[in-house]
Structure formats: C-alpha cells, structure tokens
Amino acid sequence: MAIRQKCDKKRMVLLQATLHLINNNGFHDAPMSKIAKTAEMSPATIYIYFENKQDLINQLYLEMKAAFSTHAFENYSEELCVKESFKKIWFNIANFKLNQVEESNFLSQCDNTPIIDEEIKREGLKHLQPLVDLWERGKSEGVLKQVSPYLMYAFTIYPLAFLTNSQHKNNCTLNDEKLNDAFNIAWDSIKL
C-alpha cells in the first residue's frame, strides 16, 4: 500500500477554505464537509493534515498570527526611539488590517470567541513579543505609562479594527490624514 505524502499546497488550500467559510458563515457553520467541498477535496483528506476541526482552526489561527506579526514588524528597528518604533509597528498593523481583510477579520473573530484553545492563544501572543518589549522599554525610559500591555493594546491596536472595518463597510475613508490622527490619538493614550 502506498503511503500518502502530505502536500503543503493542499494544506494551504484547506486553511484558505476554512478562513473563507469562518469569515462568511462563522465558526459553527463551517463543518468539515463544507471545508472539504470548498477546498474541492474529500473530507478524508483533511485528516491527513489536521487531527480534527479544532486542530484545523488552531493551526489557521497560528498561521494568521504569524503572518500578522511578520507584517507588523516589517522594517522595524529597535534602534529608533520608542515613539518612532511604535509608529512603524502601528502603521504596519494598519496596513495589514486594510489590505489583508480576510486574515484580519479572522483574527478579530478569534479575539472575541473562546473557540481557540488557551494554549494556542498564548502561543499566538508570543508573535507580538517585540511590541511588548518595546512597551516595556518605553516604560523603563519614562516615555510610556506604567500600565499593562493588555491596556496598551486595547487603546492603541483594537481601535484599528473598528476603523478598518468601518472603511470596508464604506462608512468612512481612511486617508493619510485620518490615519495620522488615529495614530496620534493612540500614541497620546499611552505616552506620559
């Protein structure tokens, strides 16, 4: 009997199908049968790559979190002052949320549901360590408020989801001026 080889391309097609279905139908209305049909594969093929639906969703989350952090820290340098470093990261995140809509929507859903295993969420948070380190440096340099990274994230990064979702729904247009205003408000919320 021939042993089936895993194919990275098939795995990615399954992840993309899952991403699409979850974004359009929600977590609970994305059964394995629909995922397989959307990916144009047999349901049995999914189990070559993933143990079960939970494993599939967890792996998708980690892939999206890795893509998000790669984008967020692109051209980031610890050599810059805290404000300029944060500005670079913030605008990279804004760019991701504006241009990687499906990935961004999925991550937003994951932030607001218990569907992702806690261990996997903790693993996903490790991707944001450079941002946490920057905030710690800012606190130690007396540039940033002495508050938790969760509060900083809530007041600086979460509002981006609201703004970018509003643009995607055609409720507002985020031009350079509005993005600069939004960054300044975010910065003002955490600086001393």
Side-chain angles (χ1 to χ4, degrees):
M1 177 152 108
I3 298 174
R4 285 188 168 181
Q5 294 290 324
K6 290 185 178 181
C7 171
D8 283 339
K9 185 177 178 184
K10 284 186 179 181
R11 182 180 181 278
M12 291 308 296
V13 169
L14 288 165
L15 289 171
Q16 282 301 119
T18 306
L19 176 68
H20 179 76
L21 283 171
I22 288 172
N23 279 341
N24 290 296
N25 303 337
F27 288 102
H28 299 292
D29 196 17
M32 296 296 248
S33 59
K34 277 188 183 178
I35 293 169
K37 184 175 182 178
T38 302
E40 298 179 347
M41 296 179 200
S42 79
T45 304
I46 296 174
Y47 296 99
I48 294 171
Y49 301 92
F50 307 99
E51 291 176 28
N52 52 40
K53 184 177 175 183
Q54 186 64 50
D55 181 45
L56 172 58
I57 291 171
N58 285 340
Q59 294 306 311
L60 176 59
Y61 172 78
L62 290 175
E63 293 265 341
M64 294 301 100
K65 206 61 155 172
F68 172 76
S69 64
T70 296
H71 200 93
F73 301 114
E74 187 176 353
N75 299 319
Y76 164 68
S77 170
E78 294 177 1
E79 312 260 326
L80 296 172
C81 71
V82 172
K83 181 178 181 178
E84 290 306 311
S85 292
F86 179 62
K87 186 174 187 175
K88 180 67 179 162
I89 294 168
W90 192 92
F91 274 96
N92 283 346
I93 292 171
N95 182 275
F96 180 87
K97 289 182 175 292
L98 286 167
N99 295 298
Q100 306 296 318
V101 178
E102 280 208 327
E103 295 86 347
S104 184
N105 286 343
F106 175 77
L107 288 172
S108 290
Q109 285 188 69
C110 291
D111 287 340
N112 298 304
T113 182
I115 200 83
I116 305 298
D117 293 340
E118 284 304 312
E119 179 183 333
I120 298 297
K121 276 191 178 179
R122 283 191 296 278
E123 190 175 331
L125 284 174
K126 290 178 188 176
H127 290 287
L128 295 175
Q129 194 60 48
L131 180 58
V132 174
D133 292 344
L134 174 65
W135 285 337
E136 290 303 319
R137 179 171 63 118
K139 290 193 283 188
S140 69
E141 291 177 7
V143 176
L144 299 178
K145 295 175 181 167
Q146 295 292 325
V147 297
S148 79
Y150 290 102
L151 280 174
M152 289 188 178
Y153 199 88
F155 282 87
T156 60
I157 306 303
Y158 270 172
L160 274 172
F162 174 79
L163 292 171
T164 56
N165 285 340
S166 292
Q167 175 164 305
H168 296 309
K169 293 176 184 173
N170 297 317
N171 293 334
C172 77
T173 302
L174 291 176
N175 57 27
D176 289 343
E177 180 182 355
K178 286 182 183 174
L179 282 172
N180 280 315
D181 287 345
F183 169 75
N184 288 324
I185 291 169
W187 176 249
D188 288 346
S189 73
I190 61 172
K191 74 172 181 149
L192 276 177

